[in-house]
Amino acid sequence: MKISNLTDYPDEIETIANWYFNEWDCKDSGATLESVIEKVSSVSNRIAFVAHLDGELAGAGELKYREYSSYPKYNYWLDGIYIPIEQRGKGISKALIKFAKKKAGELRVPTIYLRCEEHLVKLYEAHGFQVVCTEKTKLIMEHKVNT
């Protein structure tokens, strides 16, 4: 398995945007596939990365600086960890999370946060994340990077 920066694979942006749109953004009436492509293409305040397994695109994720008005002190977020159904169960999400934590350490980010559904909590706990807040349908988790 190889984890790389998305900037090295610009031809895969549309595929990743389709994944994100179909999984999450389609629930937002203001989102379009084009707006998600634009977001995924952006290098402003984010590092997007991809996983390849046997040369095939097998997953994606992002580490980004994001301001949430609800969480003004939570600045750095692990986001967009997505593995297509046919690639799940192969350790890809674990590799993407490990890559993001390493990158956060290199950038001297003190803490990274993420929002997830309850069924994903154990996955992230196995990588050192802890639940710090509960929303209606999501949980906020944190991982202290440079401690």
Side-chain angles (χ1 to χ4, degrees):
M1 183 176 330
K2 180 180 177 188
I3 310 293
S4 309
N5 289 320
L6 177 58
T7 54
D8 296 334
Y9 295 91
D11 293 346
E12 295 177 342
I13 289 171
E14 191 168 335
T15 298
I16 295 164
N18 269 293
W19 290 345
Y20 289 177
F21 182 79
N22 291 327
E23 185 71 20
W24 300 297
D25 293 296
C26 66
K27 298 168 188 156
D28 177 356
S29 62
T32 64
L33 178 57
E34 291 74 23
S35 69
V36 178
I37 290 171
E38 185 176 321
K39 190 169 39 173
V40 172
S41 299
S42 172
V43 293
S44 176
N45 296 328
R46 77 177 63 225
I47 297 169
F49 41 93
V50 292
H52 289 91
L53 190 59
D54 298 325
E56 181 181 341
L57 179 62
E62 301 174 328
L63 185 60
K64 58 182 147 184
Y65 181 86
R66 172 188 253 167
E67 293 183 29
Y68 277 118
S69 57
S70 302
Y71 306 102
K73 295 180 182 179
Y74 299 178
N75 294 315
Y76 298 95
W77 294 81
L78 174 60
D79 199 15
I81 298 292
Y82 182 82
I83 315 302
I85 291 170
E86 64 275 7
Q87 297 288 0
R88 293 180 186 169
K90 299 177 181 177
I92 299 165
S93 62
K94 292 175 185 176
L96 289 168
I97 295 165
K98 184 177 177 181
F99 179 87
K101 288 170 48 179
K102 181 176 183 249
K103 186 63 77 174
E106 290 169 0
L107 295 170
R108 305 227 185 276
V109 169
T111 307
I112 53 177
Y113 298 90
L114 60 84
R115 293 174 71 225
C116 70
E117 295 170 355
E118 191 169 334
H119 71 277
L120 294 170
V121 168
K122 289 205 180 302
L123 167 70
Y124 291 112
E125 283 178 337
H127 292 278
F129 285 84
Q130 297 178 345
V131 175
V132 293
C133 183
T134 302
E135 296 178 337
K136 293 178 186 174
T137 61
K138 304 268 185 180
L139 295 115
I140 305 295
M141 299 185 79
E142 75 173 7
H143 173 69
K144 304 255 185 232
V145 179
N146 292 310
T147 55

